[in-house]
Amino acid sequence: MIRTNNISFSYTEYGKDEDLAPGDLELVLAAREIALNAYAPYSNFRVGAAIRLKSGIIIKGANVENAAFPSGICAERSALSNSVSNHPDDIPVEIAVAAMTDEGITAGFVSPCGSCRQVIAEEETRIGKPIRILLSGRNNTIVLDSISSLLPLQFNKTQLKSNLP
Ligand code: THU
């Protein structure tokens, strides 16, 4: 059998901060605020992630770099480690990501790196629900329903068992 398959996804784009719903803007502002706490002396690229848990609590994280470059951690994983560690049963509903350089908030939105996509995907698997993703820049913010859009055909626990008869 030979078949060509197609994967597509939809996302909503908001042009200005004022176009966002108040709750979305609140989460984006939390991500921008925590980006100021980033330790990013090597890249000068400060990233912030804000996760809203089901209870309403907002957990924030920033990127923390290291002279041994691979030892650094991204904002998304920083925030997720915090939420899973401290609130294991209060599940993430949505995560906002924003970044800034020395010139201020990036013009375009910032997209999570591959490792962060994989970690957010694992969290969706752990909680059994999609996590809404808000990627924000000065000129636009995009909103996606799940990390699956950014990580199609993902590796997850089901494949660990895929060789069983
Ligand atoms: N970074 C994040 O924290 N999140 C992203 O989504 C992209 C990249 C960080 C890693 C590193 O500290 C800096 O940004 C430059 O790559």
Side-chain angles (χ1 to χ4, degrees), residues 43 45 47 63 65 73-76 97 110-113:
S43 69
F45 192 70
V47 187
N63 55 329
E65 297 184 347
I73 188 167
C74 293
E76 297 90 326
V97 185
V110 171
S111 216
C113 77

Side-chain angles (χ1 to χ4, degrees), residues 73-78 80 95 97 111-123 133 147 151:
I73 188 167
C74 293
E76 297 90 326
R77 277 175 288 155
S78 191
L80 252 182
I95 178 169
V97 185
S111 216
C113 77
S115 294
C116 288
R117 293 176 193 210
Q118 185 68 29
V119 169
I120 297 168
E122 182 73 27
E123 181 64 355
I133 317 276
I147 199 67
L151 196 63

Side-chain angles (χ1 to χ4, degrees), residues 76-152:
E76 297 90 326
R77 277 175 288 155
S78 191
L80 252 182
S81 300
N82 182 329
S83 75
V84 176
S85 304
N86 293 299
H87 306 273
D89 302 321
D90 194 357
I91 64 173
V93 174
E94 48 198 1
I95 178 169
V97 185
M100 59 185 69
T101 65
D102 292 340
E103 277 91 55
I105 298 164
T106 56
F109 63 82
V110 171
S111 216
C113 77
S115 294
C116 288
R117 293 176 193 210
Q118 185 68 29
V119 169
I120 297 168
E122 182 73 27
E123 181 64 355
E124 287 193 346
T125 302
R126 185 183 79 90
I127 66 176
K129 289 196 166 66
I131 298 173
R132 205 164 157 260
I133 317 276
L134 295 85
L135 307 177
S136 185
R138 200 170 4 100
N139 296 336
N140 63 353
T141 295
I142 66 166
V143 180
L144 306 91
D145 293 335
S146 162
I147 199 67
S148 309
S149 305
L150 299 180
L151 196 63

